[in-house]
Amino acid sequence: MSTFSDFNELYDPLVLPINGKQYTIPPVSFDAGVKINGIVDGAEKLGDEEFFRLILGDVFEQMLTDKVPSAAITRAAQTALADFKYGRGMAETMWKTGGDPKAVESLAPKPNRAARRSKGTAAANKTP
């Protein structure tokens, strides 16, 4: 007997409200994740529509059918990307702010004390 719960019992789906409708964004597939990571890292170039289809899955088609405004689709895609790459906290910030740099920066991990110290050489730190 396994002590692990099924992934679907643990996964908290990303649900975005647009024009009074709840759009449940599916988890990113492995193949889509590989492509998305290539895009983010600059290794691959995709058009907007292909990117939206990768990150939003079948929901992208629903949004087009529902005539969701382009700005809302873009924000949904940015939010889904933030959720995939950085977690739910970053996704919530992206959804609320549209990617405002100050809001995003506030969630970025802060370096620990040792990492903030000077990276000077040992010779420079010695007392004469």
Side-chain angles (χ1 to χ4, degrees):
M1 178 176 216
S2 176
T3 59
F4 293 97
S5 299
D6 185 279
F7 174 77
N8 291 323
E9 294 174 18
L10 304 172
Y11 177 72
D12 185 21
L14 179 64
V15 180
L16 302 175
I18 302 172
N19 294 335
K21 183 174 179 177
Q22 302 288 322
Y23 292 92
T24 302
I25 311 300
V28 175
S29 72
F30 179 80
D31 290 338
V34 169
K35 282 187 176 183
I36 290 165
N37 283 330
I39 296 164
V40 173
D41 297 338
E44 192 170 337
K45 302 277 187 214
L46 292 178
D48 288 346
E49 186 172 334
E50 187 175 359
F51 171 71
F52 292 154
R53 288 186 191 284
L54 283 174
I55 197 72
L56 297 174
D58 294 338
V59 173
F60 177 63
E61 203 61 46
Q62 291 173 16
M63 290 177 168
L64 292 177
T65 300
D66 294 343
K67 298 189 182 338
V68 170
S70 176
I73 293 174
T74 299
R75 185 171 283 199
Q78 291 170 334
T79 301
L81 177 63
D83 191 58
F84 169 67
K85 294 287 287 182
Y86 306 108
R88 193 56 49 96
M90 186 66 82
E92 289 171 357
T93 298
M94 184 65 70
W95 184 250
K96 289 176 186 173
T97 69
D100 174 55
K102 289 182 182 178
V104 171
E105 184 180 313
S106 74
L107 285 179
K110 306 290 188 263
N112 64 26
R113 186 174 174 211
R116 291 189 308 257
R117 289 189 193 127
S118 171
K119 302 287 187 219
T121 63
N125 291 331
K126 290 184 179 178
T127 305

